[in-house]
Amino acid sequence: MGGTRFMGKHLIKSLITRGYTVTIATRGITSDGFKDSVNRVLINRTDADSIKNILSGTFYDVVFDSLAYCSNDVKYVLDSINCKKYVTISTTAVYDKHIDTKEYEFNPLKKPLVWCNRTDFPYDEIKRQVECAIYQEYPHIHSVSVRFPFAIGPDDYTKRLYFYIDHIINQKPMFIDYYDNQMAFVRSDEAGKFLAVFAENNFCGAINGASEQTISLKD
């Protein structure tokens, strides 16, 4: 789910290279470019009835879900589909960041679960609730939450990095805070390859994935 663009496309490339049979769940709006190399099912990821009608009773060895943005998103999928493993793209936004933040400092088993939609809370909170739903309500499913930092790449449809480049080149004023803070990042192609690893290893739980070193907005 989420295989038609950005790191999702790199994930699919890696899975195909590894010899997996891949099915993309998509709305059918964006062309994925994989032609006959993948299977496809048409769903609306935010519509519970759509997911239930199309995926109910189906089985997949591994479900990669890059579109789980709230606890209800998790519920819609895992109440309908059967799978051995469920891998979601999470975010380092789940942490209350400080110097020397540790991976274990956010524990989704200790935070109260709230069933919510994408607009109910700020981004960091709805992503925390994704992990709470996975590990509190579906402990029988072998699950992995890959917490990525700032994701970049020439295929980034959000054009987050392009915003800064455009303003600098064209000498447009912009407001920048946290000027000297060091930021972790990951390239979209690296992220896709990293995700693909979890199709075949036995890791379970949350893990951080990032490129080496950090960089500041000032740099």
Side-chain angles (χ1 to χ4, degrees), residues 76-149:
Y76 296 161
V77 171
L78 295 185
D79 280 358
S80 298
I81 203 170
N82 294 312
C83 62
K84 290 183 181 178
K85 183 183 289 187
Y86 181 59
V87 182
T88 56
I89 296 179
S90 189
T91 170
T92 56
V94 299
Y95 296 107
D96 292 323
K97 296 184 185 68
H98 54 83
I99 296 298
D100 201 25
T101 302
K102 303 297 183 183
E103 188 171 57
Y104 57 76
E105 290 183 18
F106 172 64
N107 186 342
L109 290 173
K110 294 184 177 180
K111 181 178 178 63
L113 168 62
V114 178
W115 293 111
C116 61
N117 293 314
R118 300 183 180 196
T119 58
D120 290 343
F121 300 109
Y123 176 73
D124 55 350
E125 180 62 17
I126 58 173
K127 292 296 281 188
R128 292 186 192 106
Q129 290 301 327
V130 166
E131 293 195 25
C132 290
I134 293 170
Y135 299 107
Q136 293 182 33
E137 290 295 309
Y138 305 94
H140 59 287
I141 298 177
H142 190 120
S143 298
V144 182
S145 301
V146 182
R147 296 169 180 168
F148 283 131

Side-chain angles (χ1 to χ4, degrees), residues 3-5 9 12-13 24 26 29-40:
T4 59
R5 57 186 180 181
K9 295 188 74 170
I12 291 173
K13 290 178 183 177
I24 301 177
T26 172
I29 297 175
T30 304
S31 174
D32 56 71
F34 292 108
K35 300 182 180 179
D36 295 334
S37 298
V38 300
N39 303 311
R40 297 171 185 81

Side-chain angles (χ1 to χ4, degrees), residues 25-86:
T26 172
R27 293 176 296 172
I29 297 175
T30 304
S31 174
D32 56 71
F34 292 108
K35 300 182 180 179
D36 295 334
S37 298
V38 300
N39 303 311
R40 297 171 185 81
V41 293
L42 298 181
I43 64 167
N44 182 339
R45 182 61 182 84
T46 60
D47 188 315
D49 290 335
S50 172
I51 294 174
K52 182 178 179 179
N53 292 338
I54 302 300
L55 297 179
S56 182
T58 58
F59 174 82
Y60 293 92
D61 291 308
V62 187
V63 173
F64 288 93
D65 189 355
S66 64
L67 301 177
Y69 286 99
C70 61
S71 52
N72 281 338
D73 284 347
V74 174
K75 183 176 180 62
Y76 296 161
V77 171
L78 295 185
D79 280 358
S80 298
I81 203 170
N82 294 312
C83 62
K84 290 183 181 178
K85 183 183 289 187
Y86 181 59

